């Protein structure tokens, strides 16, 4: 892939170049047996060698303990607004922050085993707990046990130096579960559709902001159409929007839906989980069905991956594979993990989604990445710890999917 961004020090030094082209490192974690890997799994954030890790874990544990201690009992007769104001003053917080912390504590009280796990590893911060609370607030209490189980699984490490799940991974997993739990319900709970509206607001510089409330999938379709015109014409998004609106152009958009069939949970573009009604709507519009097992092992004789391969990589990765980066896969380049010029094949098992910035970082040789057959990416930074990122998209949920070759196979090539 070509790179557009340039770096002030983009020419790699000789030492960098040697490191980059060096042999694939002998890895102590190379196991083909997943159970062995699981037994020795740990979080990258548990790497006690760094003081930052230790401090953050301690802070996360303290947060959970303290907020639990000052959370009122359910049947306590209490003036909530008074309490929020008092805590805000004592802790120098905003009232909204206090509310979020209390909700997180309440959630932990209802999920005692998940709380125990969080206290054990110290890997879950208040922002993540608030995120989990927001995802689960419309789940009836009696159904929380299933979600607790999913959270425990998600927040238990299954490989070494594993990056703690991102909010996107949590959203993906919980929304999929929410659809299967709520839809399997006898009386089938109605999920309220999002508000539809069209509003305008004046801006200080004489402009107007146009706000349209739509279903998430509808909004994605609109955005994809505008983006495709902007890209084709080389113009800004608002101009592309106007061109479309004035019928001066047309747009062809491709949206991918990941799911086994029209009856099961399905995900649009790697991050929008569709309810039954929306799945039925899209089932009418699908004009191409791709088979995962077939394309997964397919190899192109050349550098450029097929559209189907790109769709699979985006569905597996959901976002950029660099540690800590959450640029959506639809905005990412599809990168050869082992460079094509060095013999890396164009196959899903050797392709990953990388944002432009991190694509450049790997191309420049400032970091080395290896992917194993489970789609896990091992990021080797010179002179630093290895960090492992695991795929977080809807296709990563496919049980026992093998995405490519093991390192041993690579070395043998
Ligand atoms: Zn990135």
């Amino acid at each position: 892939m070509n790179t557009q961004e340039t770096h002030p020090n983009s020419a790699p030094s000789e030492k960098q170049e040697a490191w980059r082209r060096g042999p694939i490192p002998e890895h102590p974690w190379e196991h083909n047996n997943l159970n062995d890997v699981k037994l020795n799994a740990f979080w990258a954030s548990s790497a006690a060698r760094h003081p930052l890790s230790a401090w953050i874990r301690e802070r996360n544990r303290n947060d959970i303990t303290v907020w639990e201690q000052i959370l009122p009992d359910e049947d306590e007769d209490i003036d909530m607004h008074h309490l929020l104001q008092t805590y805000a003053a004592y802790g120098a917080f905003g009232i909204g922050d206090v509310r979020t912390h209390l909700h997180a504590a309440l959630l932990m009280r209802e999920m005692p085993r998940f709380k125990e796990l969080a206290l054990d590893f110290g890997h879950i911060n208040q922002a993540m707990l608030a995120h989990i609370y927001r995802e689960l607030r419309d789940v009836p209490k009696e159904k929380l046990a299933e979600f607790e189980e999913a959270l425990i699984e998600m927040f238990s490490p299954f490989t070494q130096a594993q990056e703690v799940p991102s909010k996107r991974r949590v959203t993906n997993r919980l929304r999929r579960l929410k659809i299967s739990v709520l839809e399997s319900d006898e009386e089938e709970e109605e999920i309220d559709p999002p508000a539809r509206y069209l509003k305008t607001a004046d801006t200080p510089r004489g402009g107007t902001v146009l706000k349209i409330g739509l279903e998430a999938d509808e909004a994605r379709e609109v955005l994809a159409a505008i983006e495709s015109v902007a890209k084709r014409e080389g113009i800004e998004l608002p101009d592309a929007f106007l061109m479309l609106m004035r019928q001066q152009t047309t747009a062809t958009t491709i949206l991918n839906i990941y799911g086994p069939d029209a009856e099961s949970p399905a995900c649009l573009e790697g991050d929008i989980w569709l309810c039954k009604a929306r799945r039925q709507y899209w089932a009418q519009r699908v004009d191409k069905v791709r088979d995962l097992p077939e394309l997964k092992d397919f190899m192109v004789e050349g550098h450029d991956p097929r559209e189907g391969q790109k769709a699979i990589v985006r569905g597996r990765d959901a976002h950029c594979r660099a540690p800590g980066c959450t640029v959506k896969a639809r905005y990412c380049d599809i990168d050869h993990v082992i460079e094509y010029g060095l013999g890396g094949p164009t196959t899903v098992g050797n392709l990953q989604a990388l944002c432009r910035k991190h694509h450049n970082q790997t191309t420049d040789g400032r970091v080395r990445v290896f992917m194993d057959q489970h789609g896990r990416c091992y990021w080797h930074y010179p002179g630093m710890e290895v960090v492992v990122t695991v795929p977080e998209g809807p296709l990563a949920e496919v049980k026992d999917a093998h995405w490519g070759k093991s390192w041993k196979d690579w070395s043998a090539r």
Side-chain angles (χ1 to χ4, degrees), residues 77-300:
D77 187 18
I78 203 159
D79 181 336
M80 236 4 238
H81 198 70
H82 179 102
L83 183 93
L84 290 176
Q85 283 175 315
T86 320
Y87 284 180
Y90 290 167
F93 292 112
I95 285 179
D97 293 332
V98 176
R99 201 181 282 126
T100 304
H101 287 298
L102 289 177
H103 277 307
L106 193 60
L107 188 75
M108 289 309 234
R109 190 180 276 177
E110 278 159 22
M111 298 186 168
R113 287 170 48 234
F114 178 52
K115 184 176 97 181
E116 206 177 299
L117 185 82
L119 287 174
D120 189 13
F121 285 115
H123 58 332
I124 306 178
N125 62 30
Q126 291 289 301
M128 179 60 88
L129 287 179
H131 182 72
I132 294 171
Y133 158 72
R134 282 191 285 270
E135 288 292 335
L136 295 185
R137 64 180 153 192
D138 53 351
V139 172
K141 233 182 191 177
E142 67 275 9
K143 297 220 164 93
L144 274 181
E146 263 182 89
F147 292 88
E148 182 179 21
E149 210 54 57
L151 286 166
I152 289 170
E153 196 200 313
M154 216 181 324
F155 282 93
S156 301
F158 54 79
T159 191
Q160 285 91 349
Q162 187 181 335
E163 188 186 43
V164 173
S166 69
K167 287 179 183 170
R168 186 155 294 142
R169 159 102 172 115
V170 171
T171 301
N172 258 340
R173 184 70 201 279
L174 295 181
R175 291 202 183 160
R176 189 182 69 124
L177 188 59
K178 216 149 74 174
I179 285 170
S180 47
V181 167
L182 298 186
E183 282 183 1
S184 69
D185 205 335
E186 285 291 291
E187 62 260 39
E188 210 166 291
E189 323 222 354
E190 277 290 308
I191 304 170
D192 288 339
R196 291 178 95 80
Y197 56 82
L198 199 153
K199 289 179 193 167
T200 58
D202 294 339
T203 67
R205 285 167 62 190
T208 298
V209 173
L210 196 58
K211 277 187 173 181
I212 309 177
L214 297 169
E215 295 269 2
D217 55 330
E218 293 171 328
R220 181 59 54 84
E221 189 184 358
V222 171
L223 195 61
I226 296 171
E227 283 170 352
S228 79
V229 170
K231 197 174 166 191
R232 191 184 62 215
E233 305 289 332
I235 54 178
E236 296 295 323
L237 293 174
D239 298 318
F241 168 72
L242 286 175
M243 270 188 89
L244 271 170
M245 209 269 310
R246 291 170 180 153
Q247 301 186 351
Q248 292 162 337
T249 187
T250 53
T252 310
T253 55
I254 297 171
L255 295 171
N256 290 294
I257 297 172
Y258 302 94
D261 50 59
E263 293 307 309
S264 315
C267 188
L268 182 90
E269 289 290 283
D271 59 350
I272 297 171
W273 287 88
L274 303 168
C275 67
K276 203 181 210 171
R278 303 307 300 165
R279 284 205 304 277
Q280 281 161 356
Y281 167 75
W282 282 103
Q284 312 284 320
R285 295 187 60 186
V286 166
D287 59 9
K288 190 167 193 164
V289 176
R290 292 193 175 104
D291 185 40
L292 174 65
E294 219 169 82
L295 268 168
K296 194 166 62 60
D297 301 321
F298 183 75
M299 186 155 54
V300 169

